[in-house]
Amino acid sequence: MHNTPEFPMLSAIVDDLACQGWSQQAHFLPAGLVSALATECRRRAAEGELNPAGVGRGAAQEVRETIRGDHILWLEPGESEVCDEYLTAMDDLRQAINQGLFLGLEDYECHFALYPAGAFYKRHLDRFRDDDRRAVSAVFYLNSDWQPGDGGELRMFLADEREHDVQPTGGTLVVFLSGDVPHEVLVTGRDRLSLTGWFRRRGNEPF
Ligand code: OGA
Ligand code: MN
């Protein structure tokens, strides 16, 4: 299959990251793959595989629905063909970012996320106080026919007190520097599906 992202889009993302620290691309992957990923997310949610997301890391992790209300499932390679295609596309992006920005990104971790109606994720940075390996965040949306009144926007807080909202429309990819861009997910009015992940470099975590 030829589901790899086109070179011009990869280089646009790298350029955006270099000059503004974030990038938004519509139609990052073909519609057929987007809907297959959405089907996979819903199927595994129906089978009870998604769990309430935690806040914090390791033993300090706890579920706090006043901060975030999504349900997640971490992806492992080799579990499904469509998920592997997604991981392959993200590895292409990882290599493009490394070639353009010398960030030394070593791997990519990612999970499905399902926000039921009424859920949100309060303003935060994608970086733990004791672990700085997450360097670049990437969120890929899986929702068909999202309407402005459906809510669930990703709000990014940028330099000069500017804000940028992204509708979680299927096929849209948002990429940003994890340590630089605070963001939140506004209350969603309907189920909101995504694949959320982080490119990581070698960090200061103790062995
Ligand atoms: C996250 C997050 C944003 C989104 O999971 O850390 O900020 O738009 N997600 O789903
Ligand atoms: Mn986040």
Side-chain angles (χ1 to χ4, degrees):
M1 281 207 221
H2 299 283
N3 279 322
T4 48
E6 301 292 329
F7 170 76
M9 197 172 303
L10 293 179
S11 76
I13 294 171
V14 172
D15 289 349
D16 285 347
L17 282 177
C19 60
Q20 62 182 18
W22 64 278
S23 183
Q24 176 180 348
Q25 303 293 329
H27 311 295
F28 177 66
L29 292 171
L33 182 53
V34 177
S35 67
L37 287 165
T39 301
E40 175 81 2
C41 180
R42 286 192 186 284
R43 183 181 67 76
R44 297 180 75 173
E47 287 173 5
E49 288 190 59
L50 275 65
N51 292 305
V55 176
R57 204 173 72 86
Q61 198 177 56
E62 51 181 322
V63 173
R64 282 200 273 171
E65 284 167 12
T66 52
I67 298 178
R68 66 184 292 190
D70 55 330
H71 290 61
I72 66 168
L73 173 67
W74 290 95
L75 259 59
E76 300 292 342
E79 285 179 339
S80 90
E81 201 177 315
V82 284
C83 290
D84 285 354
E85 284 181 37
Y86 182 70
L87 293 174
T88 300
M90 297 313 276
D91 204 62
D92 291 347
L93 177 56
R94 183 184 67 81
Q95 291 179 44
I97 294 172
N98 279 345
Q99 279 161 22
L101 301 179
F102 307 106
L103 284 182
L105 304 175
E106 292 199 318
D107 67 5
Y108 177 68
E109 56 173 6
C110 120
H111 60 59
F112 280 120
L114 195 161
Y115 289 70
F120 53 83
Y121 193 162
K122 287 267 170 74
R123 178 176 170 146
H124 64 280
L125 265 184
D126 284 350
R127 187 162 278 190
F128 303 112
R129 228 161 296 162
D130 59 344
D131 180 354
D132 65 358
R133 285 177 301 169
R134 288 181 171 180
V136 178
S137 305
V139 192
F140 186 57
Y141 299 107
L142 305 177
N143 308 294
S144 57
D145 196 27
W146 200 266
Q147 301 295 322
D150 291 337
E153 293 88 354
L154 168 68
R155 174 165 294 168
M156 292 188 284
F157 300 93
L158 306 171
D160 306 321
E161 300 192 5
R162 280 174 308 123
E163 293 174 1
H164 177 73
D165 286 357
V166 181
Q167 257 190 218
T169 301
T172 295
L173 179 77
V174 177
V175 183
F176 55 88
L177 299 178
S178 305
D180 289 1
V181 182
H183 55 280
E184 69 178 316
V185 177
L186 303 183
V187 178
T188 182
R190 50 178 265 211
D191 279 4
R192 175 193 193 270
L193 276 52
S194 63
L195 276 160
T196 300
W198 297 272
F199 296 103
R200 301 187 303 181
R201 51 182 177 217
R202 194 172 294 149
N204 63 1
E205 204 201 25
F207 289 102

